[in-house]
Amino acid sequence: MAYALQWLRSLVFLVAIYGGMAVIGIVYFPWAMLSRRGARAACLTWCRWVRWSARWMVGLKTEVRGTPPQGEVIIASKHQSFLDIILIFGAVPAGKFIMKRELLWAPVLGQYAMRIGCVPVNRGKRGAAISRMLRDVKRGAVEPGQLIIYPQGTRVAPGVKAPYKVGAALLYQQTGQPCVPAATNVGLFWPRKGIYRKPGLAVVEFLPVIEPGLSKQAFLGRLEQEIEIASEALHQEAEPHAQD
């Protein structure tokens, strides 16, 4: 009975947040088309709406730990569900994502992603995708911001192992920017697929910066170790208190 009630609450929550995306997207559309600032304001408004709704509709609290970066950096984050995207973007002043090209066709989401400066890549052609990604990043370097990338390339459920791909290391080396790793446990509460959302405390944690200058292998090794250790610690912290 408790599970069924929580599932129903989760369904209502999802309808509310995606309905809110459409409403906010339409309300902010004129400003967003005139100014990138307007597009970013719309996205930040929606992020706040999701976090507020999650707290009272499904009992899911959210927290951002560590120091969100302010300048031009690469943010390399663990990716478990849509919620970590929301928390990271809402915590930084000018976030933009390396994202799969298919998302450009998503209603509202795709249009606003382009307006805030996201970089679409074709994941089906790895070498060409990396080259295009680097060209697009360099072309957009005149506009300060925090470039957010998911080094494993996709959403990875808690406890599942997946390799860290070379794209993050190439960006780190060729842009010469520092990298801020980010860990999370959001997948314990907001899964990759499905409707059910579990009550609890979902966390994204910004970790100490990795300064420029490491080799590709050294950077990837350090990045993976720091993100995985911190994410596992967040999982262990959450699991005893997570409600079924």
Side-chain angles (χ1 to χ4, degrees), residues 22-244:
V23 171
I24 291 169
I26 292 170
V27 169
Y28 278 83
F29 185 77
W31 187 17
M33 292 301 100
L34 292 173
S35 168
R36 199 179 294 266
R37 181 182 172 192
R40 190 167 301 281
C43 296
L44 290 173
T45 298
W46 186 72
C47 289
R48 289 191 291 269
W49 164 248
V50 172
R51 294 183 68 179
W52 179 78
S53 300
R55 185 182 184 96
W56 72 267
M57 294 184 81
V58 293
L60 178 56
K61 301 175 184 178
T62 55
E63 181 179 333
V64 175
R65 297 179 184 173
T67 303
Q70 302 297 304
E72 281 201 275
V73 299
I74 298 166
I75 298 173
S77 176
K78 188 77 171 174
H79 187 23
Q80 294 181 345
S81 74
F82 197 21
L83 183 56
D84 52 64
I85 294 176
I86 293 167
L87 294 183
I88 292 172
F89 183 83
V92 298
K96 50 188 176 181
F97 293 87
I98 302 290
M99 68 179 198
K100 58 184 180 181
R101 183 171 295 278
E102 302 93 286
L103 290 177
L104 290 178
W105 307 109
V108 183
L109 184 64
Q111 291 72 36
Y112 275 88
M114 291 304 297
R115 288 298 294 153
I116 64 173
C118 292
V119 182
V121 298
N122 186 344
R123 293 194 304 177
K125 299 178 180 178
R126 183 176 175 182
I130 291 173
S131 298
R132 171 66 185 276
M133 180 171 60
L134 292 169
R135 288 198 306 271
D136 287 350
V137 168
K138 289 180 179 179
R139 191 178 299 127
V142 294
E143 187 167 330
Q146 298 78 47
L147 184 63
I148 304 160
I149 186 170
Y150 294 105
Q152 291 174 293
T154 189
R155 293 170 296 176
V156 179
V160 175
K161 299 296 182 182
Y164 280 59
K165 299 180 179 181
V166 71
L170 292 176
L171 281 175
Y172 165 79
Q173 287 191 319
Q174 297 195 26
T175 63
Q177 293 180 358
C179 176
V180 176
T184 189
N185 66 2
V186 301
L188 295 173
F189 309 97
W190 184 313
R192 295 176 59 198
K193 298 178 181 179
I195 292 173
Y196 188 81
R197 300 294 182 263
K198 182 184 290 187
L201 177 63
V203 178
V204 161
E205 181 178 6
F206 291 103
L207 306 175
V209 65
I210 301 176
E211 297 292 348
L214 296 180
S215 68
K216 181 175 68 177
Q217 292 77 12
F219 170 77
L220 278 179
R222 179 174 169 184
L223 183 70
E224 179 173 0
Q225 180 181 42
E226 294 186 3
I227 290 177
E228 292 300 315
I229 289 175
S231 293
E232 179 60 26
L234 292 175
H235 297 167
Q236 294 298 323
E237 174 188 325
E239 284 177 340
H241 305 289
Q243 301 177 38
D244 295 327

